[in-house]
Amino acid sequence: MLQKNNIMNTDWTAFLNTQDLSPSLPAINPPFIAPLSHLAILAVSGQDAANFLQGQTTCNIKELNDASPNLGALCNAKGRTISTFIIIKQANEFQLILTVDLLEIVKKKLQMYILRADVQLTDQSDALCIIGVHNPTQTTLSNLHHYPQQEHSYLFIASPEIAQSFWMDALTNNMLASSENSWLNLDIQAGIPWLYKETTEKFVPQMLNLDKLDAISFEKGCYTGQEIVARTHYLGQNKRAMYQASSQTDNEITPGTAIIDSANDEVNWGEVILTAQQNKSTQLLVVLKDATCAEKNLQLNNQNKDKITLI
C-alpha cells in the first residue's frame, strides 16, 4: 500500500532508496528486516505523562513495563477510535507508535486535554527511524522491542545513523531486506488494525477486535470514550467486527473503500481497514456489519469491483 505524508528523516530515506527491498512477504518465513515508513513516533513525557495517558487511552498505562510494549487506542468522547497505537514505556517517557497519517491529528487531540499538567508531546519522526525485525538472530539489543501479537517480531528504534548501521549488520548476518508491505502482511495475519485519515473516528474499539488483542482494559477506570466502550462490552451491543480477507487483484486498494454485495450494490456492508499486496493478490483487514456477510458475494466498491473472500 502506498503511504502518504511520509515525514521520515531525509538521510534515512536516501539510504533506503539505495536498498533492494523485496516487495512481498517471503514464502519460507526467513529472518527479514523492513523499514516501517508508514509508522511514526509521538513521545509523551513529563511528570504527569503516565496519569495523563491513563485518562486518554484504552490500555492500562499503570501495568506497562519497559520490556513489554502494548497495543492501545485513543478514542473520542463518543467512543470512536481516533487512532490505534503501540505504546512503549521507557523510564518516565512513553512512545506512541502510530501511522504517519494520524500523528498530527493525535497530537492536536491530546494537546487539548493537557491543560496545566506537566506533559510534553514531541514528534520524533525526523529524529528516530523504525525498522521491523522478524526472526532476528539476536534479541538482546537495547533498541529492540517486542512487537505485540506477533511472535518472533520486533521493532528496532534508533537514530538514522544507528539504524543504518543496524541495517547493514543485519544484511551481513543473512537477513533479507523487505519492504513495509511484507510487514503489513504480518500485521494482517495477526489482525492488527492500523487506522488512517479515511478510517479515523468511525469505529468503537471492539469493531476493530481490540478487545481480543488485549488493547482494552475494562478495569482501569475512566478515560475519554470509556463509557461507550464499556457499554458495548457489557451489553453486547457490538454489531460489527473485523475479518481477514483476500482479493485476487494487485490494484491499489485504499483504506476506507466500501464493501458491497454484488447482488445489491446500494447497501454498504463494511469497509477496508488495512491492505498489503502479496504476489498477484491483496490481503486485507475489513470491518463488516455482521457474520452473515460471509454468505454474500462481497466485492469492493472500487472501479474494478474486485471480489473479496473472507479467510
Side-chain angles (χ1 to χ4, degrees), residues 57-60 70-73 85 149 205 209-217:
T57 63
T58 59
C59 55
N60 195 334
N70 205 82
L71 285 170
F85 57 76
Q149 303 298 328
N209 296 355
L210 290 178
D211 50 335
K212 300 175 183 177
L213 296 173
D214 297 323
I216 308 173
S217 170

Side-chain angles (χ1 to χ4, degrees), residues 267-284:
V267 178
N268 186 340
W269 286 98
E271 56 190 285
V272 172
I273 298 298
L274 194 64
T275 72
Q277 292 182 356
Q278 178 66 17
N279 299 323
K280 295 295 184 179
S281 66
T282 300
Q283 305 305 307
L284 308 97

